[in-house]
Amino acid sequence: MKYNVIERGDEISKDLTERFHSLAAQHGMPRDEKHPDIVLSIGGDGTMLQAFHQYVDQLEKIAFVGIHTGHLGFFADWKQTNWMISPL
């Protein structure tokens, strides 16, 4: 499964992105910025909207997962503690 990550740019989001890249590499998941199967949005609702906008021509082919690193996330149900506890 090919993936890409769109992140907000703050320190928490950058750290989680690097941790995800490391876990993905351990499990043989290649990163593909042009045609991913799944896109992780790490940040907030604006980051998720940015991910949708970036892949607007592929929405029917891509699964989007939102991980919010702020206080409130309507599009991103997952918090950083939900997925970093256990490996992929």
Side-chain angles (χ1 to χ4, degrees):
M1 177 180 345
K2 302 174 295 183
Y3 80 95
N4 193 28
V5 178
I6 307 296
E7 53 98 354
R8 178 171 44 192
D10 63 293
E11 290 304 313
I12 294 171
S13 299
K14 287 179 182 179
D15 179 55
L16 290 175
T17 297
E18 290 306 313
R19 291 169 65 185
F20 183 81
H21 286 315
S22 177
L23 287 171
Q26 290 175 19
H27 293 276
M29 291 178 61
R31 184 175 181 191
D32 185 339
E33 294 181 17
K34 293 188 184 253
H35 300 286
D37 298 310
I38 186 169
V39 171
L40 272 73
S41 166
I42 301 177
D45 290 346
T47 309
M48 181 66 90
L49 290 172
Q50 178 185 352
F52 292 152
H53 180 73
Q54 182 170 333
Y55 294 103
V56 70
D57 60 332
Q58 301 178 63
L59 292 176
E60 68 280 352
K61 299 175 187 173
I62 297 175
F64 292 86
V65 176
I67 300 165
H68 72 85
T69 56
H71 301 289
L72 185 62
F74 292 104
F75 297 133
D77 291 337
W78 295 91
K79 296 180 183 176
Q80 61 178 329
T81 55
N82 294 127
W83 68 279
M84 292 309 296
I85 292 172
S86 61
L88 294 174

